């Protein structure tokens, strides 16, 4: 257990060292400044505290970042739409398909989630935007849905998606088990110098 703690801390120490480099994200050959940071699935509960620590350390270096947790964002959206309490109160009586349909509608990636992410980025004017909570919103919000619609956000900053699972520069594998659609455009942060 202690060795795993060192591993996640070592992982984030490496991320910090990459992000403070003035050369980070400069030589992408015209590709999107979109990075995917795989994290061990069993350590996803530690990611939020590590991101918070990373952001604080970057801020001390004068580097602005914004952290967007997809789970928190989705819960906010459901509360604002007065859907969350209704679903929770009537879950026993509502058909599963109706719940799924409602969530798919209220949590539409293109028209709802991406604009909210963009608003957070535009408001903060960060050099880095950290997106987490991918495993917590599965299967209602899928990582490839976010990644395939995120192009316009990369004009504003470098995006780093913390992904609980594996990414081999071709395919995302959530929790190391669930294969998502192939995705080619994100740079594996583990392979960046």
């Amino acid at each position: 257990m202690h060795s795993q703690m060192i591993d996640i801390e070592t992982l984030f120490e490496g991320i910090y060292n990459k992000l403070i480099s003035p050369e980070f994200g400069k030589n992408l050959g015209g590709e999107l400044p979109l990075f995917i940071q795989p994290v061990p699935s069993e350590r996803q509960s530690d990611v939020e505290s590590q991101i918070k620590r990373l952001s604080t350390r970057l801020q001390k270096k004068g580097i602005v970042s914004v952290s967007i947790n997809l789970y928190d964002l989705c819960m906010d959206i459901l509360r604002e739409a007065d859907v969350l309490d209704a679903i929770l109160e009537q879950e026993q009586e509502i058909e599963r398909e109706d719940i799924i349909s409602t969530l798919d509608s209220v949590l539409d990636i293109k028209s709802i989630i991406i604009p909210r992410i963009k608003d957070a980025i535009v408001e903060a004017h960060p050099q880095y935007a950290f997106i987490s909570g991918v495993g917590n919103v599965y299967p209602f919000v899928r990582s490839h849905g976010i990644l395939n619609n995120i192009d316009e956000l990369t004009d504003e900053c470098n995006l780093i998606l913390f992904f609980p699972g594996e990414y081999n520069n071709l395919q995302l594998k959530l929790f190391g088990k669930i294969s998502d659609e192939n995705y080619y455009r994100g740079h594996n942060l583990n392979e960046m110098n």
Side-chain angles (χ1 to χ4, degrees), residues 63-100:
I63 300 170
V64 177
S65 64
V66 64
S67 182
I68 300 158
N69 180 297
L70 292 175
Y71 178 80
D72 293 341
L73 177 64
C74 288
M75 290 298 107
D76 290 345
I77 292 167
L78 291 172
R79 279 187 200 95
E80 291 165 13
D82 290 326
V83 172
L84 185 61
D85 289 337
I87 289 175
L88 293 175
E89 289 169 9
Q90 301 171 3
E91 183 179 2
Q92 300 290 338
E93 296 86 41
I94 303 173
E95 294 290 326
R96 183 176 189 269
E97 293 77 24
D98 291 341
I99 292 174
I100 291 170

Side-chain angles (χ1 to χ4, degrees), residues 21-192:
S21 167
E23 297 304 309
F24 182 82
K26 298 283 190 234
N27 299 314
L28 299 178
E31 294 180 24
L32 297 175
L34 173 59
F35 305 89
I36 298 171
Q37 177 59 64
V39 292
S41 302
E42 64 275 7
R43 299 311 306 258
Q44 70 177 335
S45 62
D46 298 319
V47 169
E48 291 307 312
S49 62
Q50 289 292 331
I51 290 173
K52 191 176 286 188
R53 183 172 174 264
L54 175 63
S55 293
T56 300
R57 292 179 73 195
L58 291 172
Q59 186 176 9
K60 288 177 181 175
K61 292 275 189 185
I63 300 170
V64 177
S65 64
V66 64
S67 182
I68 300 158
N69 180 297
L70 292 175
Y71 178 80
D72 293 341
L73 177 64
C74 288
M75 290 298 107
D76 290 345
I77 292 167
L78 291 172
R79 279 187 200 95
E80 291 165 13
D82 290 326
V83 172
L84 185 61
D85 289 337
I87 289 175
L88 293 175
E89 289 169 9
Q90 301 171 3
E91 183 179 2
Q92 300 290 338
E93 296 86 41
I94 303 173
E95 294 290 326
R96 183 176 189 269
E97 293 77 24
D98 291 341
I99 292 174
I100 291 170
S101 174
T102 299
L103 291 175
D104 284 345
S105 170
V106 175
L107 298 176
D108 183 74
I109 289 175
K110 280 187 178 183
S111 66
I112 307 288
I113 294 178
I114 294 294
R116 291 288 289 265
I117 293 172
K118 183 172 185 151
D119 289 347
I121 290 172
V122 168
E123 183 179 320
H125 300 292
Q127 187 171 337
Y128 298 108
F130 304 132
I131 299 176
S132 62
V134 171
N136 298 2
V137 294
Y138 177 85
F140 300 106
V141 177
R142 295 180 180 233
S143 51
H144 76 270
I146 297 289
L147 294 169
N148 288 333
N149 289 288
I150 215 161
D151 295 8
E152 65 187 63
L153 304 181
T154 58
D155 294 340
E156 308 291 331
C157 63
N158 295 290
L159 287 159
I160 300 172
L161 177 81
F162 289 89
F163 186 78
E166 302 166 8
Y167 179 57
N168 64 8
N169 295 320
L170 174 64
Q171 187 176 46
L172 296 160
K173 203 167 193 181
L174 188 63
F175 310 127
K177 297 177 181 172
I178 303 167
S179 293
D180 217 332
E181 287 185 13
N182 286 352
Y183 188 77
Y184 308 92
R185 298 181 309 171
H187 305 278
N188 190 328
L189 195 55
N190 284 338
E191 298 174 6
M192 303 297 293

